[in-house]
Amino acid sequence: MLRTHGHTKACFVGHSLGTAAISWLLHSPTHHTYVASTVLLDPVTFLLFHPAVAYNFVYRPPTTVLELLTHYFVARELYIAHSISRHFNWSRNAVFVEDLPPANPRIVPAHRVARYLGASEGEGEGGAVDVLFYEGLSHGEGMLKREVLERVVGKIRGACGVDVVEEGNGGSAREVVAEAERVKRRVSKKRGGGGRADN
């Protein structure tokens, strides 16, 4: 797809289990050159060697409503459960700081991962890694909070080389979605879709 559109590199964004697909790109001897930057949201690929990672997702009984929803609709979903139990190569999917391209934004949920990346609560520089860490948010919960989502969108825009617009000055999640729709219509028009976004 990148070659088709004349691009040699891209910013790859992954959430949770999607960060494993990015780890495949980072480890691939032929495809790692396509990765200009990454944004990893609630990454499961850091510290996969730690026993708590597998236990927390596969075996730990839920204690909150959000954990209960995650347990039944994510961890126990037929294809995810099958993939994690039978086809998830834990050592192959692990990502270390050395595997990352330089200056990559990261959104991490766990204290251990934040310590590994060299950050404390809030925003900080963890060496070559830019970290957003939010105390008290469960896995995926940050995507439900507008202020967190706006910071994430800003990090993604920055990783893509788009000028980051300050909050309240055109950088809200709603405005970014509207901008994406405008781009989608332009691309559709170029492809002969008559300007309709749903073609």
Side-chain angles (χ1 to χ4, degrees):
M1 182 171 28
L2 289 173
R3 281 187 292 228
T4 301
H5 294 286
H7 300 288
T8 57
K9 291 182 176 284
C11 171
F12 290 87
V13 180
H15 177 261
S16 192
L17 191 54
T19 61
I22 294 173
S23 78
W24 304 336
L25 284 168
L26 292 170
H27 295 134
S28 169
T30 56
H31 297 98
H32 74 278
T33 57
Y34 292 121
V35 182
S37 60
T38 61
V39 178
L40 307 177
L41 309 167
D42 293 326
V44 297
T45 53
F46 291 109
L47 304 183
L48 275 177
F49 55 83
H50 195 280
V53 174
Y55 174 79
N56 287 341
F57 186 75
V58 179
Y59 303 110
R60 186 181 69 185
T63 58
T64 66
V65 173
L66 188 59
E67 285 178 7
L68 184 67
L69 290 171
T70 301
H71 180 76
Y72 282 107
F73 294 111
V74 179
R76 296 295 178 252
E77 190 274 331
L78 180 63
Y79 296 105
I80 292 175
H82 177 73
S83 295
I84 295 293
S85 300
R86 303 283 184 219
H87 300 287
F88 193 79
N89 187 329
W90 295 85
S91 60
R92 185 165 178 241
N93 292 326
V95 172
F96 298 93
V97 172
E98 299 80 27
D99 298 330
L100 300 172
N104 285 279
R106 218 73 71 245
I107 291 77
V108 295
H111 292 293
R112 287 183 193 273
V113 175
R115 279 198 307 268
Y116 169 67
L117 296 175
S120 56
E121 183 179 358
E123 187 169 0
E125 292 293 327
V129 180
D130 185 9
V131 178
L132 290 182
F133 177 73
Y134 294 95
E135 181 72 39
L137 294 184
S138 299
H139 187 81
E141 191 177 352
M143 301 299 99
L144 303 174
K145 297 191 177 299
R146 183 182 177 126
E147 63 276 3
V148 174
L149 191 56
E150 286 182 350
R151 300 274 314 274
V152 169
V153 168
K155 292 293 183 182
I156 292 171
R157 289 174 64 103
C160 292
V162 177
D163 289 333
V164 179
V165 182
E166 292 301 318
E167 222 173 289
N169 234 356
S172 73
R174 184 179 304 131
E175 290 163 338
V176 170
V177 169
E179 180 183 333
E181 286 300 319
R182 285 191 298 275
V183 170
K184 187 176 176 183
R185 283 192 293 276
R186 281 196 311 260
V187 169
S188 178
K189 196 178 229 178
K190 282 183 180 179
R191 291 181 182 163
R196 291 187 47 170
D198 55 352
N199 286 341

